[in-house]
Amino acid sequence: MSQIEIKGVSYSYPVKEGHSLKALKNVSLAIDKGEFVVLAGMNGSGKSTLAKLLNGLFTPSAGEIFIDGISTADEENTFEIRKKVGMVFQNPDNQTVATIIEDDIAFGPENIGVPREEIVVRVDEALEAVGMSEYRTRTASKLSGGQKQRVAIAGVLAMRPDVLILDESTSMLDPNGRKEIMDIALKLNKSGITVINITHNMDEATVADRVVVMRKGRVAMDGTPKEVFASGLLEACGLTLPPVTQLSRSLADEGFVFGDVVTDEDELVEEICRQLK
Amino acid sequence: MFKDVAFGQYYPTNSPVHRLDARVKLLLTLLYVAAIFFIKSYFGFMLTTAVLIIIVALARLPIMSVLKSVRGVLFIVVFTAIINLFFIKDGEVLVQSGSLIITKNGVHTTIKLVLRLVLLISGASLLALTTTPVQLADGLESLMSPLKLIKVPVRDIAMIMSIALRFIPTLFEETNKIIAAQKARGACFDTGNIFARIKAMLPVLIPLFINSFRRADELAFAMDARCYNATDKRTRFKKAKLGWGDLIAFVFIAGYFTVILLDRYYFRTVGIDIDSMIFGELL
Amino acid sequence: MPAVEIKNLNFIYSKKTPFEKRALQDINLTVEEGEFLGLVGATGSGKSTLIQHLNGLIKLQDKKRSSVVVNGMSATDKKSLKKLRFEVGMVFQYPEYQLFEDTVAKDVAFGPKNMKLDKDEIDARVRRALEVVGLEYDKFAERSPFDLSGGEKRRVAIAGVIAMQPKVLVLDEPVAGLDPVGREDILSLVKKLQKEVSPTIIMVSHNMDDMARLADRIVALKDGCIVANGTPKEVFCDRKLIEDAGLDLPAATRIADKLIARGVEIPSDIVTMDALSAELGKALRSRITVAAKANDGVSEEDENV
């Protein structure tokens, strides 16, 4: 059994009376513990809806989702599931509850009734994990976007989740902030946390174990980054190849020969040098 | 417009005042506010100012941070002062020109009113400057906890307060951004009468409201995702404990309050008039 | 006459308080008419403060020493200020968050109305602005801006600015938060706007690849000072400058550097992927010719033997 099992899930938003918008159509997916999955797709493809279904913020209109074998549809499990599946959202300004950073990180553990002595330990660890220890007593509103998102990640880590979902958490950040968040996500993944990064930035997809591309509420592609980039279907899903892969494509037009899809900059450099020798 | 609003802006300095229990600070602030309404003499105002300055110094706050909050309501202060100055007509006349009359009584009342307002706002801002919104909310929740017995949702009220305070800087920043954007499209906020001005603010207020709802939506998701309302047995990261500092603070403010009460109700009955002892004929 | 001329511009926030912070220091900058200027720099480097001086949203602090002149109009002069507002169009970050009217047409008309134009002119401008940003007038004019998709909202917001037909258009990260298709759409729209509405463009962006591709000239700010000012090639090929300014390199330049370090013979002033790919193609072809010539040589020798 996989850690996350999505079985035939559909979801509709009520738009206005009698009308609803089908955001997800019969999606099935299984994600294993420790995977680093990028969930990609253009705006409106259903990727964020899927994320909100994974920790019980929404429940499926049809089908079922299991986290470690527990169904998200059962209200009794809601908080058990939210403890397991932590989520960081898009806007850095709209997810801190408390003014002071350490107070905010303690919010989750307080909610689930963690004893005080342990909250102290967890807050320390979470701050350490995102490299924000020296800011613990600062005001959240004075931080940069990247720092705010690091605090948001720490707030989730303090609940000791098994899965971390980044719901377009880098899309409002500048390149430095984006890099900070990606580095932390990779580090956490190495320590055993399953990471699901929802994004439309294909540079972020190159470091994933697996890329799932959504299109109009369905899974359009599911494979390793190389498989997905090689498919030639990315543009049809409203996405673009990462710059390095794009370059290798136009180099192929110039007469270079690449056996495999190139996603890594150094790999590309190596290959070019070899062919120019 | 809306520059540097200090209210709701915690100013961290880790002073003894910052470390006081939020409940104690809330109660003492109430006591202080009550005292201000009992002040009758200039001596009382001087004493209050001294108390305020001592607290600001102990809290290691720049005096500007306190005065900033006064600046925010300066318009109201000036407005009420002018009303008072010209509308109090009893007592010895100092200036008369046409129907304009300024009396000695009016001048005294106005000065005292301004002092009262300024001291009131400064005192209240001290609470916000030295106490984090979470501490404030927790303190309020604790003080109001008896109300839980009659089914008042004390915790939710405290949470709403804390979030409101947390979002004040965010919303002011956003307001400034929207104002700049609409000005860039030629909007003008400072001409015309009061109605024209209110109408001119709509291009700012409408997006501000819409964005606030959007923020509230996202925040609700973020709070749910972090298990808000998971259990009734919510624990506390920071537990407030009463210490010696709290006792000293209490004695200090209570002493001050007593002096103000004595000044109002007792000193004069036994023939002590500190104001005339200080100012003599000036009054 | 230059489109924008900034002289000795300084700006300090919260002047004479403990929170005093210098945002701009001795900025001298000229932007010629028809130029596409890319403004880069880290968050907090002073970009926002600088652009808000252009239409008087932020007032000059030292009117004696500094001056900001746009198309001959001074930002210090109260009379020309109002005109200046319409001369410089300003598209802020996430401009869709400033929409407020109940129909698209009314929202786009807000600027022209403030210009006190007559009704026919306003209607004509709204129509044209919507068409230019790629929103069909008949289809969108009467819809609520709040029911549109993210990309459409942003187009409406941009239409609201260009309806004033500004000579200079300033855009602060116009593609922030958009998906790849949305990004490309807006970037080509900016190019189109330069041709059809506002000949002078000043664009703020963190994306060096976009900058290298679009800008005629790049100005980099750091801690309120201009630390680089030149064509993309001049700026990105000065590695010391890039390091001092704390800027990222365009991906093409970064890859070219790695190749050059490995002994590949390509020019050192490559800033776009297209140029890199073309140069490498050339290198490959010349290698093939060299190899072919070498082969010819060998065969001649063979014959001689």
Side-chain angles (χ1 to χ4, degrees), chain A residues 218-235:
Chain A
R218 295 180 199 275
V219 174
M221 278 184 280
D222 182 354
T224 63
K226 293 200 177 195
E227 284 165 2
V228 168
F229 297 151
S231 70
L233 297 170
L234 217 48
E235 279 84 359

PDB file of all heavy atoms in Angstrom, chain A residues 218-235:
ATOM      1  N   ARG A 218      -7.636  16.388 -15.177  1.00  0.00           N
ATOM      2  CA  ARG A 218      -7.202  14.990 -15.282  1.00  0.00           C
ATOM      3  C   ARG A 218      -5.684  14.915 -15.222  1.00  0.00           C
ATOM      4  O   ARG A 218      -4.998  15.896 -15.476  1.00  0.00           O
ATOM      5  CB  ARG A 218      -7.643  14.386 -16.614  1.00  0.00           C
ATOM      6  CG  ARG A 218      -9.132  14.275 -16.786  1.00  0.00           C
ATOM      7  CD  ARG A 218      -9.434  13.658 -18.154  1.00  0.00           C
ATOM      8  NE  ARG A 218     -10.802  13.932 -18.547  1.00  0.00           N
ATOM      9  CZ  ARG A 218     -11.842  13.193 -18.167  1.00  0.00           C
ATOM     10  NH1 ARG A 218     -11.661  12.155 -17.390  1.00  0.00           N
ATOM     11  NH2 ARG A 218     -13.057  13.508 -18.563  1.00  0.00           N
ATOM     12  N   VAL A 219      -5.175  13.705 -14.914  1.00  0.00           N
ATOM     13  CA  VAL A 219      -3.737  13.502 -14.971  1.00  0.00           C
ATOM     14  C   VAL A 219      -3.372  13.292 -16.433  1.00  0.00           C
ATOM     15  O   VAL A 219      -3.840  12.354 -17.067  1.00  0.00           O
ATOM     16  CB  VAL A 219      -3.315  12.268 -14.147  1.00  0.00           C
ATOM     17  CG1 VAL A 219      -1.834  11.986 -14.345  1.00  0.00           C
ATOM     18  CG2 VAL A 219      -3.611  12.510 -12.678  1.00  0.00           C
ATOM     19  N   ALA A 220      -2.553  14.190 -16.988  1.00  0.00           N
ATOM     20  CA  ALA A 220      -2.205  14.092 -18.400  1.00  0.00           C
ATOM     21  C   ALA A 220      -0.924  13.285 -18.586  1.00  0.00           C
ATOM     22  O   ALA A 220      -0.775  12.576 -19.569  1.00  0.00           O
ATOM     23  CB  ALA A 220      -2.034  15.482 -19.007  1.00  0.00           C
ATOM     24  N   MET A 221      -0.011  13.425 -17.648  1.00  0.00           N
ATOM     25  CA  MET A 221       1.248  12.701 -17.732  1.00  0.00           C
ATOM     26  C   MET A 221       1.736  12.364 -16.337  1.00  0.00           C
ATOM     27  O   MET A 221       1.450  13.092 -15.385  1.00  0.00           O
ATOM     28  CB  MET A 221       2.312  13.572 -18.420  1.00  0.00           C
ATOM     29  CG  MET A 221       2.252  13.561 -19.923  1.00  0.00           C
ATOM     30  SD  MET A 221       3.596  14.524 -20.598  1.00  0.00           S
ATOM     31  CE  MET A 221       2.958  16.168 -20.426  1.00  0.00           C
ATOM     32  N   ASP A 222       2.484  11.284 -16.230  1.00  0.00           N
ATOM     33  CA  ASP A 222       3.004  10.872 -14.934  1.00  0.00           C
ATOM     34  C   ASP A 222       4.282  10.094 -15.217  1.00  0.00           C
ATOM     35  O   ASP A 222       4.237   9.037 -15.843  1.00  0.00           O
ATOM     36  CB  ASP A 222       1.954   9.989 -14.229  1.00  0.00           C
ATOM     37  CG  ASP A 222       2.403   9.551 -12.844  1.00  0.00           C
ATOM     38  OD1 ASP A 222       3.563   9.829 -12.477  1.00  0.00           O
ATOM     39  OD2 ASP A 222       1.591   8.944 -12.132  1.00  0.00           O
ATOM     40  N   GLY A 223       5.411  10.620 -14.800  1.00  0.00           N
ATOM     41  CA  GLY A 223       6.655   9.903 -15.073  1.00  0.00           C
ATOM     42  C   GLY A 223       7.841  10.633 -14.481  1.00  0.00           C
ATOM     43  O   GLY A 223       7.681  11.614 -13.754  1.00  0.00           O
ATOM     44  N   THR A 224       9.046  10.187 -14.799  1.00  0.00           N
ATOM     45  CA  THR A 224      10.234  10.898 -14.343  1.00  0.00           C
ATOM     46  C   THR A 224      10.304  12.214 -15.115  1.00  0.00           C
ATOM     47  O   THR A 224       9.680  12.345 -16.171  1.00  0.00           O
ATOM     48  CB  THR A 224      11.510  10.092 -14.655  1.00  0.00           C
ATOM     49  OG1 THR A 224      11.614   9.960 -16.073  1.00  0.00           O
ATOM     50  CG2 THR A 224      11.471   8.722 -14.009  1.00  0.00           C
ATOM     51  N   PRO A 225      11.064  13.193 -14.610  1.00  0.00           N
ATOM     52  CA  PRO A 225      11.170  14.455 -15.346  1.00  0.00           C
ATOM     53  C   PRO A 225      11.572  14.222 -16.803  1.00  0.00           C
ATOM     54  O   PRO A 225      10.989  14.787 -17.713  1.00  0.00           O
ATOM     55  CB  PRO A 225      12.248  15.225 -14.586  1.00  0.00           C
ATOM     56  CG  PRO A 225      12.217  14.683 -13.205  1.00  0.00           C
ATOM     57  CD  PRO A 225      11.778  13.261 -13.317  1.00  0.00           C
ATOM     58  N   LYS A 226      12.547  13.328 -17.031  1.00  0.00           N
ATOM     59  CA  LYS A 226      13.016  13.095 -18.405  1.00  0.00           C
ATOM     60  C   LYS A 226      11.908  12.552 -19.279  1.00  0.00           C
ATOM     61  O   LYS A 226      11.743  12.965 -20.429  1.00  0.00           O
ATOM     62  CB  LYS A 226      14.206  12.143 -18.396  1.00  0.00           C
ATOM     63  CG  LYS A 226      15.409  12.788 -17.750  1.00  0.00           C
ATOM     64  CD  LYS A 226      16.711  12.136 -18.128  1.00  0.00           C
ATOM     65  CE  LYS A 226      17.820  12.959 -17.454  1.00  0.00           C
ATOM     66  NZ  LYS A 226      19.128  12.707 -17.964  1.00  0.00           N
ATOM     67  N   GLU A 227      11.145  11.620 -18.737  1.00  0.00           N
ATOM     68  CA  GLU A 227      10.041  11.046 -19.521  1.00  0.00           C
ATOM     69  C   GLU A 227       9.028  12.118 -19.890  1.00  0.00           C
ATOM     70  O   GLU A 227       8.559  12.202 -21.023  1.00  0.00           O
ATOM     71  CB  GLU A 227       9.344   9.938 -18.724  1.00  0.00           C
ATOM     72  CG  GLU A 227      10.134   8.635 -18.672  1.00  0.00           C
ATOM     73  CD  GLU A 227       9.603   7.690 -17.595  1.00  0.00           C
ATOM     74  OE1 GLU A 227       8.609   8.020 -16.911  1.00  0.00           O
ATOM     75  OE2 GLU A 227      10.193   6.611 -17.439  1.00  0.00           O
ATOM     76  N   VAL A 228       8.706  12.939 -18.907  1.00  0.00           N
ATOM     77  CA  VAL A 228       7.689  13.973 -19.143  1.00  0.00           C
ATOM     78  C   VAL A 228       8.200  14.994 -20.152  1.00  0.00           C
ATOM     79  O   VAL A 228       7.479  15.386 -21.076  1.00  0.00           O
ATOM     80  CB  VAL A 228       7.286  14.648 -17.819  1.00  0.00           C
ATOM     81  CG1 VAL A 228       6.471  15.903 -18.077  1.00  0.00           C
ATOM     82  CG2 VAL A 228       6.501  13.680 -16.949  1.00  0.00           C
ATOM     83  N   PHE A 229       9.458  15.398 -20.032  1.00  0.00           N
ATOM     84  CA  PHE A 229       9.999  16.405 -20.957  1.00  0.00           C
ATOM     85  C   PHE A 229      10.125  15.830 -22.362  1.00  0.00           C
ATOM     86  O   PHE A 229       9.990  16.537 -23.352  1.00  0.00           O
ATOM     87  CB  PHE A 229      11.363  16.925 -20.490  1.00  0.00           C
ATOM     88  CG  PHE A 229      11.304  17.630 -19.166  1.00  0.00           C
ATOM     89  CD1 PHE A 229      12.400  17.643 -18.314  1.00  0.00           C
ATOM     90  CD2 PHE A 229      10.141  18.283 -18.766  1.00  0.00           C
ATOM     91  CE1 PHE A 229      12.341  18.288 -17.095  1.00  0.00           C
ATOM     92  CE2 PHE A 229      10.089  18.929 -17.543  1.00  0.00           C
ATOM     93  CZ  PHE A 229      11.181  18.929 -16.709  1.00  0.00           C
ATOM     94  N   ALA A 230      10.395  14.535 -22.431  1.00  0.00           N
ATOM     95  CA  ALA A 230      10.588  13.900 -23.738  1.00  0.00           C
ATOM     96  C   ALA A 230       9.259  13.710 -24.469  1.00  0.00           C
ATOM     97  O   ALA A 230       9.238  13.558 -25.685  1.00  0.00           O
ATOM     98  CB  ALA A 230      11.287  12.553 -23.567  1.00  0.00           C
ATOM     99  N   SER A 231       8.188  13.708 -23.724  1.00  0.00           N
ATOM    100  CA  SER A 231       6.884  13.374 -24.308  1.00  0.00           C
ATOM    101  C   SER A 231       6.446  14.325 -25.419  1.00  0.00           C
ATOM    102  O   SER A 231       5.688  13.956 -26.304  1.00  0.00           O
ATOM    103  CB  SER A 231       5.821  13.372 -23.226  1.00  0.00           C
ATOM    104  OG  SER A 231       5.606  14.707 -22.797  1.00  0.00           O
ATOM    105  N   GLY A 232       6.927  15.567 -25.332  1.00  0.00           N
ATOM    106  CA  GLY A 232       6.516  16.541 -26.337  1.00  0.00           C
ATOM    107  C   GLY A 232       5.102  17.065 -26.103  1.00  0.00           C
ATOM    108  O   GLY A 232       4.552  17.791 -26.926  1.00  0.00           O
ATOM    109  N   LEU A 233       4.511  16.705 -24.980  1.00  0.00           N
ATOM    110  CA  LEU A 233       3.125  17.111 -24.727  1.00  0.00           C
ATOM    111  C   LEU A 233       3.021  18.263 -23.737  1.00  0.00           C
ATOM    112  O   LEU A 233       1.929  18.715 -23.403  1.00  0.00           O
ATOM    113  CB  LEU A 233       2.334  15.916 -24.174  1.00  0.00           C
ATOM    114  CG  LEU A 233       2.213  14.718 -25.118  1.00  0.00           C
ATOM    115  CD1 LEU A 233       1.626  13.523 -24.385  1.00  0.00           C
ATOM    116  CD2 LEU A 233       1.335  15.100 -26.304  1.00  0.00           C
ATOM    117  N   LEU A 234       4.168  18.711 -23.246  1.00  0.00           N
ATOM    118  CA  LEU A 234       4.163  19.708 -22.186  1.00  0.00           C
ATOM    119  C   LEU A 234       3.477  21.000 -22.622  1.00  0.00           C
ATOM    120  O   LEU A 234       2.665  21.574 -21.887  1.00  0.00           O
ATOM    121  CB  LEU A 234       5.613  19.992 -21.773  1.00  0.00           C
ATOM    122  CG  LEU A 234       5.890  20.239 -20.294  1.00  0.00           C
ATOM    123  CD1 LEU A 234       5.245  19.184 -19.426  1.00  0.00           C
ATOM    124  CD2 LEU A 234       7.373  20.287 -20.045  1.00  0.00           C
ATOM    125  N   GLU A 235       3.797  21.451 -23.855  1.00  0.00           N
ATOM    126  CA  GLU A 235       3.214  22.700 -24.345  1.00  0.00           C
ATOM    127  C   GLU A 235       1.690  22.605 -24.413  1.00  0.00           C
ATOM    128  O   GLU A 235       0.993  23.557 -24.105  1.00  0.00           O
ATOM    129  CB  GLU A 235       3.783  23.069 -25.721  1.00  0.00           C
ATOM    130  CG  GLU A 235       5.143  23.753 -25.668  1.00  0.00           C
ATOM    131  CD  GLU A 235       6.289  22.757 -25.570  1.00  0.00           C
ATOM    132  OE1 GLU A 235       6.022  21.525 -25.520  1.00  0.00           O
ATOM    133  OE2 GLU A 235       7.464  23.202 -25.542  1.00  0.00           O
TER     134      GLU A 235
END
